Amino acid sequence: EKGGYDYFMLKEIAEQPKAVADTLLGRIDAAGSLTLDEVRISASELREVDKVVIIACGTAFHAGLIAKYAIEHWTRIPCEVELASEFRYRDPILDQQTLVIAISQSGETMDTLMALRHAREQGARVLAICNTNGSTIPRESDAVLYTHAGPEVAVASTKAFLTQLVACYLVALYLGQVRGTKWGDEIGAVIRDLSRISNEVERVLETMEPVRELARSLAGKNTVLFLGRHVGYPVALEGALKLKELAYMHAEGFAAGELKHGPIALIEDDLPVVVVVPSPRGRSVLHDKIVSNMQEIRARGARTIVIAEEGDEAVVPYADHLIRIPATPTLLQPMVATVPLQVFACELATARGNEVDQPRNLAKSVTVE
Ligand code: M6R
């Protein structure tokens, strides 16, 4: 049932283009507009929403962090993202105009379930983004948008994450569409880019051999740091989480702008630092800033592993290892930038002799608080 792969995780990484395409299927009409009628919250109710709050745990939380950039940009509705385990303990401010989005692969995560119950008690509407039909979280929500990743068996989430991102983009774009924001033209263009994104994920998967080789060469290291900015920051957090749970290595993700506020003190000779580089197009200020961060850490001996768009030549002088990803609109970049980090963590786990599909101390679904 592993379809010829040694591990479920490898199979699930390879299934990502299909999982992404399946999650888009039937949700974009011939005219290039979104049809999310299955989300049984009426357009007029969605126009009333004045705040979005996303609750999730682990990898699903990282999808939520990325969703915030998309929701705020395309809809201009303020969006908060909170760890489900923290949410209800701080007496959050919620009412009928708050749209709470609960993201969960399994639909059974107790922290997320308790958070959504709390949100509903306060009168908020809850939309679940979930991969498991009929599980508890969608059953207890007002509405659900299913991801169509198929069953995810490996404890480390991969294809569910990419499809959670797709679902988040769909919700953000749909909210933008029903509310008619000033980004109308951009929304149309992004829907077109999104419908092509599974091909880009496929292209990334075809070029992963050097990433595996690099991972094997780092099997003896104790620490790997990850840096990113904007949507690349949650990607860095996700890369670090994958490495912790699979390789049992000390891995930390930072917002690159925070380096000089502390973490740069960690840089020492030959320390591997993965840098997720924003597109040089669009938000080029951030691109230039991260290039100077690379310069700074390299001057202090870091070994940079750089994930950058094809054609971005400015990074070449500062990259000890360069991993190329296809050019995408900024907000969609996590769809392609995350894939090499999944492959990297999986290969490092194997090289260290760890159990890839069933890491120590972890369960696939966490049904206790
Ligand atoms: O089933 P859920 O999406 O609610 O699970 C949330 C987290 O437990 C999960 O994403 C966890 O962090 C993964 N093992 C990460 O790979």
Side-chain angles (χ1 to χ4, degrees), residues 74-352:
W74 288 322
T75 72
R76 309 311 297 154
I77 307 171
C79 174
E80 296 168 11
V81 192
E82 186 142 353
L83 290 166
S85 55
E86 290 291 325
F87 183 67
R88 68 192 172 114
Y89 300 102
R90 71 168 171 95
D91 195 11
I93 302 164
L94 305 159
D95 60 30
Q96 286 80 346
Q97 268 144 278
T98 313
L99 176 67
V100 171
I101 304 178
I103 309 175
S104 175
Q105 188 286 129
S106 62
E108 301 296 345
T109 300
M110 188 55 75
D111 289 307
T112 311
L113 180 62
M114 297 312 278
L116 93 78
R117 283 186 184 156
H118 182 78
R120 291 197 73 195
E121 276 160 22
Q122 313 301 308
R125 307 201 128 250
V126 179
L127 167 67
I129 290 179
C130 185
N131 195 46
T132 312
N133 258 299
S135 55
T136 312
I137 288 172
R139 273 194 283 115
E140 292 208 13
S141 299
D142 295 287
V144 53
L145 184 63
Y146 280 109
T147 50
H148 295 156
E152 192 181 63
V153 177
V155 165
S157 186
T158 54
K159 61 176 181 171
F161 177 68
L162 254 58
T163 60
Q164 282 160 356
L165 289 180
V166 170
C168 289
Y169 294 132
L170 289 174
V171 170
L173 293 164
Y174 187 64
L175 274 171
Q177 187 178 289
V178 298
R179 295 163 68 98
T181 61
K182 63 174 174 171
W183 300 112
D185 291 348
E186 186 180 322
I187 287 176
V190 173
I191 293 173
R192 280 193 295 282
D193 287 318
L194 197 56
S195 58
R196 283 192 292 261
I197 201 82
S198 86
N199 297 333
E200 308 294 0
V201 175
E202 182 78 62
R203 279 181 58 213
V204 178
L205 286 169
E206 284 161 8
T207 59
M208 287 297 96
E209 194 42 45
V211 175
R212 282 190 280 268
E213 223 168 274
L214 170 65
R216 289 193 290 271
S217 77
L218 297 174
K221 295 280 182 192
N222 295 318
T223 298
V224 181
L225 302 183
F226 294 76
L227 299 179
R229 284 195 85 122
H230 193 260
V231 290
Y233 170 43
V235 172
L237 296 177
E238 174 62 7
L241 177 60
K242 288 283 99 87
L243 207 58
K244 282 174 204 157
E245 69 176 338
L246 291 159
Y248 317 151
M249 289 165 85
H250 170 224
E252 265 190 273
F254 297 109
E258 275 292 294
L259 266 179
K260 56 187 169 305
H261 301 289
I264 199 164
L266 291 169
I267 306 293
E268 56 186 20
D269 215 31
D270 213 33
L271 179 78
V273 183
V274 177
V275 188
V276 183
V277 181
S279 166
R281 303 160 297 113
R283 286 177 176 65
S284 54
V285 194
L286 292 184
H287 175 269
D288 297 351
K289 289 195 164 156
I290 221 161
V291 171
S292 21
N293 292 143
M294 282 160 52
Q295 245 166 307
E296 286 156 13
I297 58 171
R298 227 162 156 262
R300 289 162 179 83
R303 186 188 327 177
T304 54
I305 301 165
V306 176
I307 301 183
E309 248 183 34
E310 282 159 0
D312 179 353
E313 296 308 319
V315 298
V316 175
Y318 311 111
D320 293 298
H321 307 274
L322 187 51
I323 301 168
R324 289 296 192 185
I325 51 173
T328 56
T330 301
L331 286 165
L332 302 189
Q333 198 201 47
M335 295 286 300
V336 288
T338 307
V339 176
L341 302 182
Q342 301 167 338
V343 172
F344 182 71
C346 184
E347 191 69 24
L348 253 163
T350 314
R352 288 164 71 94

Side-chain angles (χ1 to χ4, degrees), residues 24-93:
L24 286 165
L25 204 68
R27 289 166 173 170
I28 301 175
D29 67 18
S33 294
L34 297 179
T35 48
L36 293 190
D37 304 340
E38 59 194 296
V39 174
R40 289 162 300 129
I41 302 182
S42 69
S44 63
E45 282 170 300
L46 289 176
R47 277 191 283 268
E48 298 286 296
V49 170
D50 65 4
K51 182 165 79 164
V52 177
V53 177
I54 300 177
I55 46 176
C57 303
T59 287
F61 173 70
H62 298 152
L65 290 175
I66 293 165
K68 174 185 164 83
Y69 292 86
I71 290 171
E72 291 194 338
H73 178 70
W74 288 322
T75 72
R76 309 311 297 154
I77 307 171
C79 174
E80 296 168 11
V81 192
E82 186 142 353
L83 290 166
S85 55
E86 290 291 325
F87 183 67
R88 68 192 172 114
Y89 300 102
R90 71 168 171 95
D91 195 11
I93 302 164

